[in-house]
Amino acid sequence: MPIVFHKKTKEFHLYNSEISYIFCILKNGQPGQIYYGEKIKDRDSFQHLIEYSFRDMAPCTYEGDRTFSMEYLKQEYPSYGHGDMRYPAYEILQEDGSRITEFVFEDYVILKGKRKLTGLPAVYAESDEEAETLEIYLRDRVMNTRMILSYTIFEQLPVILRNTRFIQEGESCITLEHAMSLSLDLPDDRYEMITLTGAWARERYIKKAPLHEGVQAIYSMRGHSSHQFNPFFALKRPEATEDTGEVIGISLVYSGNFLGQTVVDTFGVARAMIGIHPEVFSWTLKKGEIFQTPEAVLVYSNKGLGKMSRTFHRLYHRRLVRGFWRDRVRPVVINNWEATYMDFTEEKILKIAETAKELGVEMMVLDDGWFGHRDDDTSSLGDWYPNPKKLPHGIRGLAEKIENMGMKFGLWIEPEMVNKDSRLYAEHPDWVIGVPYRDSCHGRNQYVLDFSKEEVVEYIGDQISGLLKEAPISYIKWDMNRSISEAFSQGRSREEQGKLFHKYILGVYSLYDRFTTDFPEVLFESCASGGARFDPGMLYYAPQCWTSDNTDAVERIRIQYGTSLVYPLSSMGCHVSEVPNQQTFRNTPLATRAETAYFGCFGYEMDLNTLTEEEKQEVREQIRYYKRIRKLIMDGAFYRLVSPFEAEEAAWMVVSEDKKHALAGYYRMRQPANAPLKRLVLKGLDPDIRYQIRETGLEAGGDELMHAGMAISDFACGIRKQKERQGDYQSRLFELTAVS
Ligand code: GLA
C-alpha cells in the first residue's frame, strides 16, 4: 500500500491492490488532480495526463503562456478568484476585503496509520499497518496561512479519506467562509448522481439523475444532517448496475449542515465536492488558531453499487464505530413509545416488560414522557428528573425492577432541547438559540439549547450523568426532534455568529464523548425524529441509529434498502410494531414485520400483552430465531437482490465471512394474479459450497444458486398451493447452511 512520491515530477501516487489516486504539484505550486480510479501500475511520470488547453478568454497564470489556466486544469483543492471560475473548495476573506489566495506547496510527510481529528468523529486505523497517510503542506505567503491536505489510503479497502486543516500563522485575522472536506475533478461527466433523499417517515429513498452542465447538489442547513438529504452521494457510470461497472461513493463523517455537489463545466469536467455548508458559515482565525474540516470518505467500486455499499459497511462497522459494542451483537429490545406514548405508569411499563421478558426480549427501553411533568409535547424538555406521579420510585426504582426481572433497562433522552414550560427555561432563557428581541419558531413546541456554549453542554451533561450513575441504565436513545431556525447565539459577538452551527455540532460530539468515555458499556442509539441524523458522524459515538419513525413493514423495506447504500445492518434500529400500523394504517402479517426487522438491530415497539396466545408464541419463536442469526446479520456481507424502488417486490441477503451461512429475505408487496414465473438469483455465495435451504429442504451448489437461482414462483406469483402467506405484504426467508 505504498504512497509514492516522484520527486522530479512532484507526483504523488497512492495505491493499493484495487485503486490508484494520483495528483501532482503543478508549475504554480498548487496541487493538480491526475487520476482516480481502478489501480494502475506506477511509473516515473504521469505528466502526459495533465491536460493543458489554449482557450480564448481563459484567465492565464503566466504572461506569455496561454495554456496554463486554472480554469481548465484539474485540481485537488481549488481556490476562489485566482484563475478558476468554477466553484472553489474554500474561500478566505481577509482584512483588506480580498478573497484571493495562493497556497503553494512547501513540503509533505507520509505517516503510518492515521491521525485523529481533534473534536471530530473520523474513521480510524487500528494498526499502523492497515493505513498510510499523506499530508501536503501548502502556504499562502501573503496571509502567512498554512493549509494541510490530508489523504489516507487503506491497505485492504478501496477507500481514500480526505480532510483539510487551516492554521493561521500570520498576524492578521482571516475568515474562512467556505471550507470543503474534499474536492475532486473528474475528467468527464458521464455519470449519474445517486442520492438518498426523503422526509420524516420516508427517509433515504434512492434517487438517480444524470449529471448535466451546471450544479447538482444535496444539502442541509437545518443544523443536523436531515431527513431530506443524507450526507452522501455516488457518481455511477450510466451502464453500471448493482453488480457491475464503475461507481464513486462520497460520504461525509459529519452530522451538521453540509453541502454535497457536482459541478459540470461546459467542457465536460465534473467537479465533486462535499463538506460543511458555506451558508451562514464563517470562521475567523487569529494567529495560532486552527480550523479542521470534517472527514470525507471516497469509495471506489469497479463492481457496481453493491461493492460500494459493502466497502462502506466494512469501513463504518469496523473502523468508524468504536468501543464495547462494536463487535458485540445487540440486545433484543422492547420500546414503549408506540405502545403507550406518554401515557404510562410504572405499573404499565412493568407489565409490558414482564410479558416481553417472558417471550425472550432482553431490554426494556422507556421512551419519552418520564421526566418533569411531561404528559404531552408542550412541557418539561430540559428537566431531566423523573416525574414522581408516573415513576414513584424514580428511574432507579424502575430500572432495578427491570434488572431484577433479568432484563436490561434503557432510557430515552433529548438533551439538546427545552420547552418553555420547564424549570431550565425559567432559569436560563438565554440558553436557547434565537434572537431575543424577535419571535422564534418552535418545532414540536420545543426550542433548541445553544450547544455551542460549553456551560450549556456541561449542565445537561451533569444532569444526565447523574442519572447514569444512579440507576442501572444500559442503553440510551438520544433523540433530536427539530431543526435549528433563527440561528443566533445569544450574548455572542457578530463575528462569533458564523461559528454557531459548527460549534453546535462540536458541542453535541463533546457530550457524546463525555458519556461514551465515562460510561463505555452503555449502548447509545442516536435518533432524530426517526432518521434525521442517520449519518457517519453519529456512528462514531452511537453504533446504532433509529432508522425511521415509520415502522410499517412495507415502508421499512424501502427505507432499510435505501439506508443500506451506505450504512451497515448493524447500525439500523428496526422494530416490529402493531397493526394497523400507526403511520400508514396498513395491516401487514406479524411474520412480514419481523422478517423485515431481522435485518438490523431487532426489537418490538408495541405492548405484547395485546397479542393473542398464538401470536405470542409466534413472537417467542421470532426472538429465538433472531438470537440465532443475529451474529450473521451484524457481521455478514450484505447483498441487495431486488429493488423495492423498481418493483412490487424486494429481496436482499446476508452472507457470513466464511460463506458457510447466509440468510435471504424476499418480500412481495402486492399479490399478483397469474403472474410470470419467478426465480430468485442469490449473490455472494461460494460457488463450490453445497448449501441446504432450511425452509424448503432444497440442497444446491452456490454456483447453481448464483446463476440458475431458486424457483420461488409458488410464493412470488400468487400460485401458491398452501393457504398460509397468501395475499399482499408477504415475505419469506431462506436460510442457507453449508452441507459438510
Ligand atoms: C421521536 C422518535 C420516536 C420517539 C419520539 C418521542 O419522534 O423518533 O421514536 O422517541 O420522538 O417523543
Side-chain angles (χ1 to χ4, degrees):
M1 166 204 45
I3 296 179
V4 177
F5 178 56
H6 295 286
K7 214 170 163 191
K8 218 168 117 201
T9 52
K10 293 201 181 125
E11 283 169 39
F12 294 93
H13 187 178
L14 295 80
Y15 65 90
N16 60 24
S17 60
E18 296 191 71
I19 54 166
S20 278
Y21 190 106
I22 307 172
F23 67 97
C24 68
I25 303 301
L26 297 166
K27 190 161 94 176
N28 64 352
Q30 289 168 36
Q33 159 66 215
I34 294 181
Y35 171 77
Y36 169 53
E38 181 108 23
K39 190 229 160 134
I40 53 179
K41 284 188 205 69
D42 194 38
R43 56 181 287 176
D44 288 350
S45 169
F46 290 99
Q47 292 285 313
H48 49 280
L49 285 175
I50 305 173
E51 293 144 303
Y52 299 95
S53 45
F54 182 106
R55 299 189 197 277
D56 260 3
M57 295 203 50
C60 296
T61 306
Y62 299 103
E63 285 201 18
D65 177 357
R66 288 188 59 188
T67 62
F68 193 95
S69 171
M70 294 309 269
E71 183 164 10
Y72 300 108
L73 282 161
K74 290 169 205 78
Q75 297 173 58
E76 281 299 288
Y77 203 69
S79 70
Y80 166 77
H82 197 38
D84 192 341
M85 300 299 181
R86 295 167 290 181
Y87 272 83
Y90 71 96
E91 225 175 291
I92 299 177
L93 177 62
Q94 295 148 60
E95 279 179 346
D96 64 358
S98 141
R99 288 182 160 81
I100 309 309
T101 59
E102 202 170 8
F103 282 92
V104 172
F105 176 73
E106 284 191 336
D107 207 354
Y108 74 95
V109 288
I110 295 171
L111 311 159
K112 292 257 168 242
K114 174 169 187 293
R115 277 192 215 270
K116 276 191 164 182
L117 301 195
T118 319
L120 280 166
V123 170
Y124 57 92
E126 227 164 39
S127 73
D128 276 356
E129 281 62 54
E130 66 181 34
E132 209 162 84
T133 299
L134 166 67
E135 290 191 343
I136 303 288
Y137 300 119
L138 304 125
R139 184 180 301 275
D140 179 285
R141 296 207 169 90
V142 175
M143 302 182 296
N144 196 13
T145 306
R146 257 181 137 190
M147 177 199 275
I148 302 174
L149 302 179
S150 166
Y151 300 78
T152 298
I153 182 164
F154 273 79
E155 159 112 60
Q156 302 283 355
L157 289 169
V159 171
I160 300 273
L161 309 173
R162 284 189 53 182
N163 70 75
T164 304
R165 221 150 65 232
F166 293 90
I167 306 167
Q168 176 55 340
E169 294 179 351
E171 297 300 327
S172 63
C173 280
I174 57 164
T175 303
L176 271 171
E177 299 210 305
H178 180 148
M180 291 284 106
S181 297
L182 162 147
S183 175
L184 177 68
D185 284 354
L186 297 163
D188 70 83
D189 61 354
R190 223 174 44 76
Y191 292 99
E192 289 167 342
M193 188 157 165
I194 306 281
T195 53
L196 295 173
T197 76
W200 174 80
R202 55 176 173 83
E203 294 91 345
R204 291 174 299 284
Y205 277 25
I206 301 175
K207 297 284 163 60
K208 179 172 85 178
L211 285 192
H212 54 70
E213 288 177 356
V215 182
Q216 269 151 290
I218 48 158
Y219 65 96
S220 166
M221 297 189 287
R222 299 161 182 273
H224 56 102
S225 46
S226 88
H227 294 107
Q228 282 71 15
F229 299 104
N230 199 258
F232 154 83
F233 63 97
L235 297 177
K236 164 187 155 316
R237 292 295 187 190
E239 67 278 8
T241 65
E242 182 65 25
D243 302 300
T244 61
E246 196 177 39
V247 182
I248 295 170
I250 301 177
S251 159
L252 187 67
V253 187
Y254 191 58
S255 314
N257 287 354
F258 74 91
L259 173 69
Q261 70 177 19
T262 310
V263 187
V264 177
D265 71 13
T266 51
F267 297 93
V269 173
R271 172 170 290 175
M273 46 176 75
I274 201 162
I276 293 179
H277 202 299
E279 188 72 31
V280 302
F281 169 84
S282 75
W283 197 280
T284 298
L285 292 179
K286 295 195 202 78
K287 188 173 182 182
E289 290 182 340
I290 298 174
F291 183 80
Q292 170 69 63
T293 73
E295 181 164 88
V297 179
L298 261 178
V299 165
Y300 178 80
S301 165
N302 55 0
K303 291 203 177 69
L305 289 164
K307 182 176 171 191
M308 175 201 74
S309 299
R310 284 185 293 282
T311 304
F312 274 123
H313 295 176
R314 266 183 71 192
L315 187 74
Y316 286 173
H317 179 37
R318 295 290 191 208
R319 294 294 178 268
L320 179 62
V321 168
R322 303 166 297 160
F324 184 82
W325 285 100
R326 185 187 75 176
D327 302 329
R328 286 181 161 80
V329 293
R330 311 290 160 69
V332 177
V333 309
I334 182 135
N335 178 304
N336 71 306
W337 180 240
E338 288 195 16
T340 66
Y341 293 103
M342 295 186 207
D343 181 17
F344 59 82
T345 55
E346 184 186 89
E347 204 187 335
K348 224 179 194 179
I349 297 298
L350 289 172
K351 240 177 115 195
I352 293 176
E354 263 160 36
T355 306
K357 166 69 191 163
E358 203 256 305
L359 300 181
V361 172
E362 295 160 309
M363 181 175 310
M364 171 79 223
V365 178
L366 180 63
D367 212 282
D368 192 358
W370 57 266
F371 48 92
H373 56 275
R374 188 162 167 96
D375 290 321
D376 58 37
D377 61 23
T378 59
S379 90
S380 303
L381 288 168
D383 295 346
W384 300 108
Y385 47 85
N387 178 347
K389 284 200 192 124
K390 293 185 190 175
L391 303 175
H393 313 286
I395 287 295
R396 181 167 165 196
L398 174 62
E400 281 174 352
K401 287 188 185 117
I402 301 279
E403 285 254 326
N404 288 340
M405 282 180 191
M407 281 172 111
K408 295 287 176 197
F409 177 75
L411 190 65
W412 179 97
I413 56 170
E414 197 180 358
E416 298 154 73
M417 299 293 157
V418 67
N419 288 112
K420 284 194 173 166
D421 179 2
S422 68
R423 276 197 215 164
L424 179 65
Y425 185 78
E427 282 167 25
H428 299 287
D430 58 325
W431 279 9
V432 165
I433 289 181
V435 187
Y437 37 85
R438 292 184 191 276
D439 291 337
S440 286
C441 298
H442 72 90
R444 210 193 190 202
N445 298 306
Q446 64 198 50
Y447 296 84
V448 186
L449 287 172
D450 189 346
F451 262 43
S452 77
K453 294 179 174 164
E454 275 171 30
E455 67 270 27
V456 177
V457 176
E458 197 181 312
Y459 177 92
I460 296 292
D462 289 348
Q463 280 198 56
I464 291 163
S465 288
L467 280 166
L468 284 162
K469 277 184 202 143
E470 180 201 297
I473 299 170
S474 305
Y475 162 110
I476 287 283
K477 176 177 172 187
W478 177 326
D479 209 341
M480 194 278 186
N481 280 310
R482 65 157 291 184
S483 303
I484 297 176
S485 59
E486 295 84 24
F488 185 80
S489 190
Q490 297 187 39
R492 294 246 209 244
S493 68
R494 177 169 185 255
E495 180 190 87
E496 289 289 306
Q497 298 303 333
K499 294 186 173 176
L500 173 60
F501 274 115
H502 183 56
K503 274 195 154 178
Y504 176 90
I505 209 71
L506 293 181
V508 170
Y509 291 151
S510 73
L511 189 55
Y512 258 114
D513 207 49
R514 172 175 171 184
F515 290 158
T516 49
T517 308
D518 293 351
F519 308 99
E521 291 187 16
V522 171
L523 174 60
F524 282 85
E525 176 159 309
S526 69
C527 174
S529 229
R533 203 149 70 179
F534 204 126
D535 60 61
M538 279 293 117
L539 290 183
Y540 185 68
Y541 304 97
Q544 58 191 62
C545 179
W546 182 228
T547 312
S548 175
D549 275 347
N550 193 338
T551 53
D552 172 71
V554 176
E555 295 301 315
R556 266 308 184 103
I557 290 164
R558 278 200 208 105
I559 295 169
Q560 290 169 217
Y561 191 97
T563 304
S564 81
L565 224 50
V566 186
Y567 305 98
L569 300 188
S570 58
S571 68
M572 296 185 215
C574 302
H575 297 173
V576 173
S577 63
E578 65 178 33
V579 287
N581 177 269
Q582 297 187 12
Q583 294 80 38
T584 60
F585 314 103
R586 186 179 280 132
N587 281 293
T588 54
L590 184 52
T592 305
R593 281 173 272 153
E595 291 176 7
T596 306
Y598 284 158
F599 290 83
C601 305
F602 185 69
Y604 292 82
E605 190 94 4
M606 63 194 292
D607 183 353
L608 297 170
N609 291 304
T610 60
L611 300 181
T612 63
E613 282 313 309
E614 206 179 315
E615 286 168 328
K616 280 188 191 158
Q617 184 52 29
E618 197 175 334
V619 166
R620 193 176 282 116
E621 276 156 30
Q622 288 173 350
I623 295 173
R624 201 175 299 138
Y625 184 80
Y626 181 72
K627 287 179 181 167
R628 192 166 61 70
I629 50 117
R630 67 180 153 183
K631 185 101 185 90
L632 169 67
I633 298 285
M634 280 279 302
D635 298 340
F638 186 67
Y639 293 83
R640 289 178 294 263
L641 306 178
V642 180
S643 168
F645 295 102
E646 287 161 18
E648 282 287 336
E649 55 177 354
W652 52 40
M653 69 185 287
V654 190
V655 183
S656 68
E657 210 182 328
D658 64 6
K659 296 185 186 275
K660 289 186 175 155
H661 190 196
L663 182 69
Y666 174 84
Y667 308 87
R668 188 189 65 208
M669 312 314 172
R670 285 198 297 165
Q671 164 127 24
N674 204 12
L677 301 178
K678 182 148 289 183
R679 283 188 192 174
L680 185 64
V681 178
L682 303 186
K683 294 179 188 170
L685 300 172
D686 183 333
D688 298 323
I689 289 183
R690 210 172 161 69
Y691 295 91
Q692 177 161 58
I693 300 168
R694 189 166 175 257
E695 290 71 13
T696 60
L698 177 77
E699 261 194 38
D703 55 347
E704 179 188 324
L705 294 166
M706 290 193 290
H707 300 297
M710 294 187 297
I712 57 163
S713 306
D714 61 338
F715 175 71
C717 305
I719 51 173
R720 192 169 164 80
K721 289 166 209 93
Q722 298 101 302
K723 274 253 160 47
E724 91 261 22
R725 297 219 172 183
Q726 286 185 342
D728 295 343
Y729 321 129
Q730 301 292 334
S731 64
R732 233 175 133 180
L733 294 181
F734 301 94
E735 189 183 350
L736 286 76
T737 319
V739 182
S740 51

